Amino acid sequence: MANTGVEVVEGRVPAACIAIRRRVFVEEQGVPPEADADGRDDACLHALARDRGAAVGCARLRPLGPGTAKVERVAVLAERRKEGWGDRLMEALEAASRARGWNVLELHAQHTVVSFYERLGWRGKGEPFEEAGIVHRAMVKTLS
């Protein structure tokens, strides 16, 4: 990976991803640590965004079945939001999905970022629901 960009790795969650998830979900949002540490990391692809070597964001992609995967644990450090890192993470996960033949992606978006995903072509599905104490909306995107 270049000094600035997004790296996607399979089956091994980078320590920097765990650190970012702890800062964003556990410390900032008050999500219980056990809700983040669900034991599924080894079965996922992990995207890690770096800017001049410093980790600034992460996400994971979990296969669900033939042609389908779920985007999870999308997190960008508070001080680095609104810089396009979320876009870059999602672009990297979509490219990795296409390469593996996963053309339907799902995710559970926190209510505060539904518009971010809508801007990227995601569509809401069903009614809002609570997950880890935060209101979410199921969303889906079909890749072309």
Side-chain angles (χ1 to χ4, degrees):
M1 177 182 72
N3 205 15
T4 297
V6 177
E7 173 186 23
V8 177
V9 298
E10 190 165 2
R12 171 190 60 81
V13 60
C17 290
I18 298 295
I20 289 169
R21 285 163 38 178
R22 175 165 287 285
R23 277 184 62 188
V24 172
F25 299 128
V26 177
E27 296 171 14
E28 180 185 332
Q29 297 180 350
V31 171
E34 60 274 10
D36 177 54
D38 63 1
R40 295 177 171 163
D41 280 329
D42 290 346
C44 297
L45 298 178
H46 299 276
L48 176 60
R50 291 188 184 272
D51 185 20
R52 293 182 280 282
V56 298
C58 65
R60 78 178 189 186
L61 186 64
R62 182 168 54 94
L64 295 179
T68 304
K70 185 177 179 194
V71 174
E72 301 173 320
R73 309 301 194 269
V74 180
V76 175
L77 297 176
E79 64 272 17
R80 301 307 303 266
R81 293 181 192 143
K82 306 291 186 200
E83 296 178 8
W85 292 107
D87 288 357
R88 291 182 196 117
L89 284 163
M90 296 305 292
E91 288 168 9
L93 291 182
E94 287 183 20
S97 295
R98 285 184 185 96
R100 287 160 177 80
W102 301 332
N103 61 345
V104 176
L105 297 180
E106 299 178 4
L107 63 77
H108 292 170
Q110 292 183 2
H111 70 287
T112 57
V113 292
V114 165
S115 63
F116 163 77
Y117 291 109
E118 288 174 336
R119 181 176 58 78
L120 297 178
W122 291 77
R123 302 258 187 278
K125 177 173 107 171
E127 295 298 316
F129 59 94
E130 189 175 301
E131 186 172 71
I134 300 170
V135 177
H136 283 73
R137 178 90 191 269
M139 301 190 84
V140 63
K141 183 174 184 178
T142 302
L143 303 177
S144 52

